[in-house]
Amino acid sequence: MATAKSLRRRIFVTVVPATVLLLISLYISICWITAERLTRPTNHLLDVDVCRLSDDAEPWSTRTQDGLTLRGWRLTSGERQPLIVLVHGMWNSRLEVAELGRDLHTLGFDVLLFDFRGHGESDPSRLTLGIQERLDLRAVLAWARRMGYAENRIGWLGYSMGAATLLLEAADNPSIRTAVVDSPYGDLPGLLDTQLPLHSGLPRWFNPGILACARMLYGLRAEELVPTEAASAWGNRPVFLIHGESDSIVPVEQALSLSRSLGAACATTILPGVEHVKAYETDPENYVEQVGQFFRRHLAP
């Protein structure tokens, strides 16, 4: 009996720790793989004839302060007009906002369409959902200044992550004076709490490990990405918030909370039956008219 009991004890002492270690290793491995996929660059060539977008379109590029090259298209004609910078969303490229850019150019605006780092034809880089991407906005602003655009003649229009990044950067950068934000997230940690399990197919208890790996290995500090907290710094700068009531990615409650934080300077439109960043696609004519009127009202001629 003593021998059998001793054997069982040795097995327990050996097997249980090994099993626990194996489970911990498996958990960390799954979290690391998921974090790697979440932040993986999505660069690809855009097989598009830019002349089909507009006869005025020309290639564009600039360098960021950390040495990356951003690439895009610039639409100008005749005398210099107020500039609208279009900022796409996560896992996308400037093609997401290309038709909208063409329509705004038709209204008489100069337009810049560019790819974030790690997207489209810009240089590869890990995605950080709005942290390092803020450097791209600064690079675009520096380029616009060099080209002679005054800050009060530059309007910004962002989709989803691009919109949230605009709000985060504007909190510290008063040079961003006028913006349209379409479907921005207001609280990324709260959003990831529901969206990560949907995209990863993993139970919610993997979330802390995934976010820890993303923070330690790839610099994605989700806790810093809360535009609702930063929005109070917007002040009296004009901003136009557009959000679909049927948005299945960023709940409309986040838009309403963000609108309250932005305060009286924020004009808010909640569109019934509209999905995430689908307002332009749903009614292009009305979208362009409202956005065009907003920029004409608030940008210097």
Side-chain angles (χ1 to χ4, degrees):
M1 289 293 292
T3 303
K5 185 181 295 185
S6 176
L7 179 60
R8 287 196 298 269
R9 184 180 296 112
R10 285 199 298 271
I11 292 174
F12 180 85
V13 169
T14 303
V15 172
V16 171
T19 301
V20 171
L21 183 61
L22 177 62
L23 291 175
I24 292 173
S25 300
L26 184 61
Y27 178 86
I28 292 173
S29 297
I30 291 172
C31 290
W32 171 73
I33 291 169
T34 306
E36 193 279 332
R37 290 177 177 174
L38 178 67
T39 61
R40 184 182 297 171
T42 61
N43 298 93
H44 60 282
L45 292 175
L46 305 182
D47 187 17
V48 176
D49 181 0
V50 68
C51 293
R52 294 182 61 185
L53 178 66
S54 170
D55 291 336
D56 300 323
E58 59 185 21
W60 171 92
S61 67
T62 196
R63 296 277 286 181
T64 66
Q65 66 186 54
D66 57 344
L68 299 179
T69 297
L70 307 179
R71 297 177 178 85
W73 298 318
R74 180 185 177 197
L75 283 64
T76 62
S77 59
E79 296 183 3
R80 184 159 295 155
Q81 301 298 323
L83 174 68
I84 309 300
V85 180
L86 300 184
V87 189
H88 66 79
M90 185 179 178
W91 295 327
N92 225 305
S93 73
R94 62 187 184 268
L95 291 182
E96 182 182 29
V97 289
E99 292 185 2
L100 172 58
R102 175 203 60 203
D103 292 347
L104 290 172
H105 181 55
T106 300
L107 293 182
F109 296 104
D110 290 351
V111 171
L112 178 66
L113 310 156
F114 77 98
D115 296 330
F116 269 129
R117 62 181 61 206
H119 294 78
E121 295 180 324
S122 291
D123 280 358
S125 179
R126 283 284 168 184
L127 313 187
T128 58
L129 280 68
I131 295 177
Q132 294 300 316
E133 289 81 3
R134 290 175 58 176
L135 297 177
D136 301 348
L137 301 183
R138 294 173 203 171
V140 170
L141 180 59
W143 166 84
R145 287 168 172 158
R146 291 195 301 270
M147 297 301 297
Y149 291 102
E151 292 171 0
N152 63 351
R153 302 189 81 222
I154 304 172
W156 303 79
L157 190 155
Y159 272 17
S160 193
M161 183 196 79
T165 305
L166 275 172
L167 292 172
L168 291 164
E169 175 60 19
D172 300 319
N173 188 346
S175 297
I176 296 177
R177 297 192 179 186
T178 306
V180 175
V181 288
D182 188 327
S183 311
Y185 63 76
D187 176 4
L188 186 64
L191 184 64
L192 290 177
D193 188 52
T194 57
Q195 288 295 318
L196 260 182
L198 294 177
H199 287 282
S200 68
L202 298 170
R204 187 169 292 181
W205 43 268
F206 274 95
N207 285 5
I210 294 169
L211 294 178
C213 287
R215 183 188 308 109
M216 291 186 293
L217 299 175
Y218 305 117
L220 198 171
R221 300 181 297 277
E223 67 278 5
E224 297 180 12
L225 300 174
V226 186
T228 301
E229 293 180 357
S232 60
W234 186 266
N236 60 0
R237 289 172 284 174
V239 57
F240 182 17
L241 171 61
I242 301 170
H243 208 97
E245 193 173 46
S246 299
D247 194 322
S248 61
I249 296 177
V250 180
V252 69
E253 289 77 17
Q254 287 209 8
L256 296 173
S257 177
L258 189 53
S259 178
R260 289 191 294 270
S261 297
L262 286 165
C266 179
T268 303
T269 295
I270 305 297
L271 300 172
V274 174
E275 251 290 359
H276 189 66
V277 295
K278 295 299 183 183
Y280 169 76
E281 182 179 312
T282 301
D283 189 351
E285 185 175 343
N286 184 56
Y287 190 100
V288 172
E289 180 181 0
Q290 290 196 43
V291 168
Q293 287 178 354
F294 174 82
F295 282 130
R296 285 198 189 99
R297 187 181 312 121
H298 296 294
L299 295 181

